[in-house]
C-alpha cells in the first residue's frame, strides 16, 4: 500500500466514524501514521548491506550487539536424570524446554496460536503490512497496544534473547528502539527466505515462553494440563495461546480470572476465523480452565534419593565429555537436553532412605549415612543420609553430602575405626602371613617408637594400644572377628605399615601423609561411607577394585549415545586373598559374631566388619554379599552450639539422643548401633539378591588358640573413650 493510498484510507475511515471523539483522534494521528507507513515500506527495500549505516545513525551502542544474521542455534533443552529402571528422578535445566516437531503438536494448538498472534501467517511474508498498519491505527485511535509483529518477527526477538550470553546482548535484544526494530525486521526477512512457514511455526512454538517456568509448547502442555502437546484440545490450546502475549499477567496459577478472560478471547477469535464452530465456542467459553499442574522441579531438592541425585550431578560436572571447563560442563548439563541413565536402584534407594531416617532424626546431634555399591562394576546403587537437602537449619537440612567423597559432596569424611583392619589383613595375606598366625594379645600393649615405618622410611612414635573387646592368644580369624586391637598392632608391624597403607590405597582410600602412623590399622583416616563401601566391594568381587560410578550412559538431545561409562576396575587382591578375607569376615555375620548377635544376619551369604572410632565419635558397619556392598555409619556432630564455629564439628555419640533414644557409653558400638541400621536396609532388599556363595578360601579357620579372655567383667572406667566395636 502506497503512502497516498494509506492516507486516503484513513480519511475515509475518519469520515465514516460515528463517534466524534474517535474522528478527532484519527485525523490528528493521520500525518504521523502515514509517515510510519512510509518508513515500513522503505524498510522492506533497504538492502542488508545498508543496515549498519541505518543502525549507527539511529541506535545506541547496545543495539550494535545484535547480529546481522540469525543463526539456527539449538535452544536450551531440559536434561533428565533417570534411575536404573528408566524412571525419572530429576530435571536439570536453565530453561525448562523439550523441543518437539510440528507433527507432534496438535493442529488445534497451531490454530489457536496463529488465530490470536498472526492469523494471516501463511498469507504474508516476514512483515504483515496490513496487520501492522491496522495495529498502528487502533493504537493511535484507542490509546491501546495491539501487537502488529508477525510470528517471524516475534521469533527473531525470541531467538536473539535466547542466544544472548551477556547482559549487553540481553539489553540489546529487548531495548525499545527504532534501530532494534529495523534490524529485527531485516533479520526476519532473511529468515523467511531460508525457512518454510512450518519450520518457522515449529521453532516459534518450541521457543516461546508460556509462563511459570515453562519454555516451549511441550513443557507448557505438560505443566498446565499434564498432557503431551499432541493431546491438547481447543479449550486447553486457547489457554496456552493466550499466555504468549503476557505470560506473567495471564498466569493461570496467579490470575485465574484474567487467564480465563484471555482464553475466551482466543476462543472468540478462533470462532470468528472458523477454526471452531459457534457451538464449540460457546461450550468452551462456559468451561473452567481445567488445569492439571505437573511440576518440573529443577535439580535434586525434594526428589527421590536427593543425595544420590546430587552425587550424580556433581560427578557429571567433573566429566570431560560434557566440556573442557566447569562452566562448559554445567551449560551442557543444564541446556543440552541430555538423557542421563544413572545406576541408582530405586528399591535400594528406598531401603537406604528408610534405614537412615528411622534411625537418626534430621535434627539430632548426629548424622546417619549409608552407601550401596555393586561389586565388580562400581555401580553406585544408593546413597542416603539422615539430613534432607535444603537450607533450613531448624529442620536439620543441609546441602552437604556426607555420604560421598569431599570432591562431590563437600564433606571432609569421618574416621572409619576398625573397619580399616580389613586392609591390615589384606597386607598380611599379600606378604605371605598365614591366617594361623597367632600373637599373645593382652589388654594393653605398648609399641615402642620405631616399631613402624611409613612409606618414606621414617620411624613412627611410641603407641600405647588397648583392647575394648577381648584379650588373649589368638589367630587372624579370631583377632579379626573379635576386633582385637593389640592383635592388629602386632599384625600391622609384621605386615609393614607402608604395605598396609598401600593395600588401603589400592582399594580407593586416600591416605594423607600424617596418617601413616601405628594406629592406622584402627582407622584414623577420614573417609566417606562410599569410600568404604567401594573398598569392601573389592573383597566381595573377588579382588577387583572398581571406581564408584553413579552414571551408566548419557544420550544427547536427539537420543544418540554421547558417552558410555564402562567399569573402571583394577585388581587389588588375588582371588585367593579376597576369598580368604571373605571367609574371615563372614564370621561377623554368623552365629557368635558381633553383627549376628545384634540382628544383622541375612538369608543370603554375607560378611562384615565393625568399626568404632576413638572417643566414640563415629560407629561403622561395612558389610556385603557377592552382589552388594553397603557401608553404614553414624557420627556425632555438634549442631546446636551457641558458638557457630563449633557447629559441624565431631563429638562423642555417648550422651547424644538419636530418634528419642539416649546413647550411653555401652550402647555406642559398630555392631550395636551402625549394624542394626545396616540390617534395616539390607534385610529389606535381600529377597532381590541372589543367594550365591563366596568362593571357597585357600585355608579354613585354623584350630582355635587358647580361649581369649574378656577385657573385663563389666564396665571399667579405663574403657571410657576407647574404641568399642561390639
Amino acid at each position: 500500500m502506497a503512502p497516498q493510498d494509506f492516507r486516503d484510507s484513513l480519511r475515509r475511515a475518519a469520515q465514516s466514524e460515528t463517534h466524534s471523539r474517535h474522528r478527532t483522534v484519527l485525523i490528528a494521528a493521520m500525518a504521523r501514521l502515514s509517515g510510519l507507513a512510509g518508513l515500513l515500506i522503505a524498510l522492506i527495500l533497504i538492502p542488508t548491506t545498508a543496515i549498519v549505516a541505518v543502525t549507527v545513525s539511529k541506535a545506541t551502542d547496545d543495539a550494535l550487539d545484535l547480529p546481522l544474521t540469525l543463526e539456527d542455534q539449538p535452544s536450551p533443552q531440559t536434561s533428565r536424570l533417570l534411575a536404573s529402571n528408566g524412571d525419572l528422578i530429576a530435571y536439570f535445566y536453565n530453561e525448562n524446554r523439550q523441543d518437539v516437531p510440528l507433527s507432534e503438536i496438535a493442529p488445534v494448538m497451531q490454530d489457536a496460536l496463529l488465530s490470536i498472534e498472526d492469523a494471516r501467517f501463511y498469507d504474508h511474508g516476514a512483515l504483515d503490512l496490513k496487520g501492522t498498519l491496522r495495529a498502528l491505527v487502533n493504537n493511535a485511535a484507542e490509546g491501546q497496544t495491539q501487537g502488529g509483529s508477525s510470528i517471524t518477527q516475534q521469533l527473531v526477538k525470541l531467538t536473539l534473547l535466547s542466544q544472548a550470553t551477556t547482559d549487553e546482548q540481553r539489553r540489546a535484544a529487548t531495548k525499545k528502539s527504532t534501530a532494534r526494530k529495523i534490524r529485527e525486521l531485516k533479520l526476519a526477512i532473511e529468515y523467511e527466505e531460508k525457512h518454510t512457514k512450518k519450520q518457522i511455526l515449529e521453532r516459534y512454538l518450541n521457543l516461546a515462553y508460556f509462563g511459570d517456568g515453562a519454555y516451549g509448547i511441550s513443557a507448557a502442555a505438560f505443566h498446565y494440563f499434564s498432557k503431551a502437546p499432541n493431546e491438547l484440545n481447543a479449550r486447553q490450546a486457547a489457554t496456552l495461546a493466550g499466555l504468549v502475549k503476557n505470560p506473567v499477567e495471564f498466569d493461570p496459577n496467579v490470575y485465574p480470572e484474567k487467564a480465563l478472560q484471555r482464553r475466551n478471547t482466543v476462543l472468540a477469535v478462533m470462532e470468528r476465523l472458523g477454526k471452531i464452530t459457534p457451538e464449540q465456542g460457546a461450550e468452551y467459553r462456559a468451561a473452567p480452565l481445567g488445569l492439571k499442574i505437573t511440576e518440573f522441579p529443577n535439580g535434586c531438592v525434594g526428589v527421590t534419593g536427593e543425595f544420590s541425585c546430587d552425587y550424580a550431578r556433581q560427578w557429571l560436572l567433573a566429566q570431560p565429555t560434557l566440556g573442557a571447563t566447569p562452566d562448559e560442563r554445567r551449560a551442557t548439563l543444564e541446556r543440552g537436553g541430555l538423557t542421563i541413565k544413572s545406576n541408582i536402584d530405586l528399591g535400594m534407594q528406598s531401603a537406604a532412605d528408610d534405614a537412615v531416617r528411622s534411625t537418626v532424626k534430621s535434627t539430632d546431634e548426629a548424622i546417619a549415612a549409608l552407601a550401596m555399591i555393586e561389586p565388580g562394576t562400581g555401580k553406585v546403587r544408593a546413597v542416603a543420609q539422615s539430613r534432607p537437602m535444603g537450607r533450613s537449619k531448624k529442620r536439620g537440612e543441609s546441602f552437604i553430602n556426607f555420604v560421598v567423597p569431599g570432591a562431590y559432596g563437600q564433606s571432609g569424611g569421618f574416621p572409619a575405626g576398625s573397619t580399616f583392619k580389613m586392609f591390615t589383613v589384606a597386607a598380611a595375606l599379600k606378604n605371605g602371613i598365614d591366617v594361623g598366625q597367632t600373637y599373645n594379645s593382652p589388654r594393653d600393649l605398648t609399641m615402642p617408637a620405631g616399631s613402624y615405618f611409613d612409606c618414606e622410611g621414617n620411624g613412627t612414635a611410641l603407641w600405647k594400644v588397648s583392647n575394648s573387646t577381648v584379650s588373649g592368644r589368638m589367630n587372624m580369624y579370631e583377632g579379626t572377628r573379635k576386633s582385637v586391637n593389640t592383635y592388629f598392632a602386632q599384625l600391622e608391624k609384621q605386615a609393614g605399615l607402608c604395605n598396609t597403607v598401600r593395600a588401603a590405597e589400592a582399594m580407593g582410600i586416600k591416605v594423607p601423609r600424617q596418617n601413616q602412623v601405628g594406629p592406622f590399622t584402627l582407622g584414623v583416616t577420614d573417609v566417606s561411607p562410599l569410600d568404604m563401601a567401594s573398598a569392601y566391594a573389592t573383597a566381595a568381587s573377588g579382588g577387583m577394585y572398581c571406581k564408584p560410578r553413579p552414571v551408566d550412559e548419557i544420550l544427547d538431545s536427539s537420543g544418540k549415545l554421547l558417552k558410555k561409562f564402562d567399569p573402571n576396575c583394577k585388581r587389588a587382591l588375588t582371588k585367593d586373598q579376597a576369598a580368604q578375607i571373605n571367609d574371615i569376615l563372614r564370621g561377623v555375620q554368623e552365629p557368635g559374631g558381633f553383627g549376628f548377635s545384634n540382628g544383622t544376619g541375612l538369608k543370603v551369604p554375607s560378611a562384615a566388619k565393625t568399626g568404632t572410632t576413638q572417643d566414640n565419635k563415629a560407629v561403622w558397619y561395612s558389610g556385603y554379599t557377592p552382589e552388594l556392598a553397603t557401608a553404614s555409619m553414624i557420627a556425632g556432630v555438634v549442631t546446636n552450639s551457641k558458638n557457630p564455629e563449633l557447629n559441624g564439628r565431631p563429638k562423642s555419640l555417648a550422651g547424644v539422643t538419636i530418634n528419642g533414644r539416649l546413647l550411653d557409653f555401652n550402647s555406642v558400638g559398630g555392631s550395636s548401633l551402625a549394624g542394626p541400621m545396616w540390617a534395616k536396609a539390607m534385610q529389606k532388599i535381600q529377597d532381590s539378591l541372589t543367594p550365591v556363595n563366596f568362593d571357597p578360601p585357600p585355608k579354613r579357620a585354623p584350630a582355635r588358640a587358647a580361649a581369649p579372655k574378656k577385657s573385663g567383667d563389666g564396665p571399667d572406667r579405663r574403657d571410657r573413650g576407647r574404641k568399642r566395636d561390639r
Side-chain angles (χ1 to χ4, degrees), residues 20 30 108 154 156 297 327 363 385 396 428 503 536 539 651 708:
S20 59
M30 185 167 53
V108 72
Q154 293 183 47
V156 167
D327 287 343
T363 54
Q385 66 183 47
Y536 273 73
K651 66 173 296 182

Side-chain angles (χ1 to χ4, degrees), residues 490-527:
Q490 297 171 83
L491 182 62
E492 182 185 49
K493 178 182 178 181
Q494 185 174 350
L497 170 59
C498 184
N499 291 332
T500 305
V501 169
R502 294 291 184 247
E505 291 176 335
M507 297 184 219
I509 304 300
K510 294 182 178 180
V511 182
R513 169 68 183 80
Q514 64 269 23
N515 286 164
Q516 295 184 25
V517 293
F520 178 80
T521 188
L522 303 188
V524 296
T525 301
D526 288 340
V527 293

